[in-house]
């Protein structure tokens, strides 16, 4: 079968003459075949740590979906109901190390595409991975998993297909409107627009605030200044939606200064008076 490894072992059969009355001599030989298998891993691009909660699917070269699942949740696996009609006899899955999924019974010499339909929160959607299973030329009765790179296919270690996810990256800038420099001493907060959940809080410094792997792609958040630095007015809140991109997304908020004008006028002429001395006290 196209979903099993060929058994290259030579099985010795012993047949022995019994007597002239026994016209047929029988011998039983058992040949055990193992299914094709490959493990699908979803990992962080920076550390190769397995990621859960990623929505994945595998399709054949005609675009037919074979299987879909959520990484780290074996109960989420869904197989195409028409697999038998498509030539698959016994596709089944099992949990591999960490959050990886082991798939048994894919067909040899067929191209498949691994697609991420939705990344986990804090990650961006990965590019599709095309792979195929081919028969090994060695005598260990196993197949090889090859992943497409450009126009060629590269053999993978341990029959693994690995898809890497990059993290979302946000850089928050609090700037002085007069000189465009980072403004320290402002108390900042980011909340999720739909739920009001507080995602992050910090006090601005002379460096921008960078956070990675926390904000979800496609969600809208609100950057709010809870308290400005002395001498500055509170800025209007800034809404932003996280893009499906591994590059640094910049969110900027500018503070204007507080301005007070003191006038000394004559009560009769209402004209400006010069020569008066002032003192200003705090509360």
């Amino acid at each position: 079968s196209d979903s099993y490894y060929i058994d290259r072992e030579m099985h010795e059969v012993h047949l022995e003459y019994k007597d002239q009355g026994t016209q047929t001599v029988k011998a039983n030989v058992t040949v055990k075949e193992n299914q094709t298998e490959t493990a699908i891993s979803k990992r962080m691009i920076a550390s190769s740590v397995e990621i859960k909660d990623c929505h994945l699917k595998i399709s054949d070269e005609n675009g037919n979906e074979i299987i879909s699942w959520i990484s780290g949740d074996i109960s989420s696996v869904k197989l195409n109901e028409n697999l038998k009609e498509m030539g698959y006899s016994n596709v089944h899955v099992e949990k591999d190390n960490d959050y990886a999924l082991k798939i048994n019974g894919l067909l040899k010499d067929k191209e498949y595409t691994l697609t991420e339909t939705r990344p986990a929160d804090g990650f961006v959607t990965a590019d599709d991975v095309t792979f195929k299973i081919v028969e090994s030329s060695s005598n260990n009765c196993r197949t090889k998993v090859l992943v497409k790179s450009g126009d060629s296919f590269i053999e993978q270690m341990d029959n693994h297909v690995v898809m890497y996810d990059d993290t979302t990256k946000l850089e928050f800038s609090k700037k002085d409107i007069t000189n465009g420099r980072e403004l320290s001493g402002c108390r900042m907060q980011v909340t999720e627009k739909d739920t009001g959940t507080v995602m992050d809080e910090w006090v601005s410094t002379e460096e921008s605030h960078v956070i990675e792997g926390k904000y979800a792609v496609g969600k809208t958040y609100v950057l709010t200044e809870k308290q400005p630095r002395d001498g500055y007015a509170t800025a209007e809140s800034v809404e932003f939606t996280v893009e499906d991109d591994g590059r640094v997304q910049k969110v900027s908020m500018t503070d204007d200064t507080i301005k007070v004008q003191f006038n000394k006028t004559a009560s009769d002429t209402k004209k400006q008076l010069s020569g008066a001395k002032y003192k200003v006290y705090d509360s």
Side-chain angles (χ1 to χ4, degrees):
S1 168
D2 284 342
S3 60
Y4 284 81
Y5 304 123
I6 188 169
D7 184 356
R8 297 185 181 279
E9 182 181 352
M10 298 183 68
H11 301 272
E12 190 173 288
V13 180
H14 178 71
L15 301 175
E16 186 173 330
Y17 172 78
K18 184 176 181 181
D19 55 50
Q20 63 180 13
T22 303
Q23 297 182 8
T24 303
V25 179
K26 296 180 179 180
N28 292 325
V29 177
T30 301
V31 177
K32 294 183 178 180
E33 292 186 343
N34 296 315
Q35 274 191 304
T36 61
E37 64 178 40
T38 181
I40 309 295
S41 295
K42 199 75 178 70
R43 300 179 186 176
M44 293 177 60
I45 196 171
S47 62
S48 293
V49 173
E50 291 281 346
I51 309 171
K52 64 177 182 178
D53 299 329
C54 301
H55 293 241
L56 304 167
K57 70 174 183 179
I58 291 178
S59 306
D60 65 14
E61 52 196 3
N62 297 318
N64 300 310
E65 184 174 308
I66 305 299
I67 181 175
S68 65
W69 75 100
I70 301 172
S71 61
D73 183 6
I74 189 70
S75 65
S76 67
V77 172
K78 294 182 180 179
L79 294 174
N80 190 318
E81 297 178 351
N82 301 315
L83 286 182
K84 286 189 177 180
E85 289 81 353
M86 297 166 62
Y88 298 86
S89 58
N90 186 28
V91 177
H92 65 281
V93 300
E94 57 187 274
K95 183 180 180 297
D96 201 49
N97 296 330
D98 297 323
Y99 302 128
L101 187 73
K102 183 180 288 186
I103 304 175
N104 300 274
L106 295 179
L107 304 180
K108 298 192 295 285
D109 301 321
K110 301 289 185 181
E111 289 190 15
Y112 294 95
T113 300
L114 172 64
T115 302
E116 183 171 39
T117 57
R118 194 177 84 188
D121 288 354
F123 295 88
V124 298
T125 305
D127 293 334
D128 290 351
V129 176
T130 300
F131 68 95
K132 64 181 178 179
I133 298 172
V134 299
E135 185 178 319
S136 174
S137 58
S138 63
N139 293 324
N140 60 4
C141 300
R142 293 181 62 85
T143 55
K144 296 186 296 185
V145 174
L146 309 179
V147 168
K148 193 171 186 178
S149 177
D151 295 329
S152 60
F153 282 85
I154 300 175
E155 183 176 355
Q156 302 301 293
M157 296 292 293
D158 302 323
N159 285 355
H160 268 66
V161 176
V162 182
M163 175 181 276
Y164 291 98
D165 270 7
D166 201 356
T167 53
T168 57
K169 303 173 184 68
L170 276 295
E171 180 181 355
F172 298 96
S173 292
K174 193 75 176 81
K175 295 184 177 181
D176 187 327
I177 196 172
T178 60
N179 55 28
R181 296 175 183 171
E182 293 290 331
L183 183 63
S184 62
C186 305
R187 189 160 65 87
M188 310 301 296
Q189 184 184 82
V190 177
T191 55
E192 189 176 327
K193 182 181 179 181
D194 293 338
T195 64
T197 303
V198 176
M199 300 295 297
D200 198 8
E201 290 182 301
W202 72 96
V203 176
S204 64
T205 66
E206 293 180 356
E207 300 291 336
S208 58
H209 180 71
V210 179
I211 190 160
E212 182 176 346
K214 190 170 187 176
Y215 294 95
V217 166
K219 286 189 177 181
T220 300
Y221 300 90
V222 181
L223 172 64
T224 303
E225 184 171 36
K226 304 299 291 184
Q227 182 179 337
R229 175 176 167 173
D230 289 349
Y232 290 82
T234 303
E236 293 184 2
S237 296
V238 176
E239 285 190 10
F240 63 95
T241 302
V242 179
E243 299 173 359
D244 197 358
D245 195 323
R247 295 177 294 181
V248 178
Q249 181 177 341
K250 297 185 178 182
V251 181
S252 182
M253 177 184 282
T254 304
D255 272 8
D256 201 352
T257 54
I258 292 176
K259 303 171 184 68
V260 180
Q261 181 174 304
F262 299 95
N263 290 317
K264 184 68 172 172
T265 58
S267 60
D268 53 355
T269 64
K270 307 301 181 183
K271 293 182 178 180
Q272 291 283 109
L273 291 178
S274 62
K277 293 185 179 180
Y278 294 94
K279 285 186 179 179
V280 179
Y281 299 86
D282 65 17
S283 56

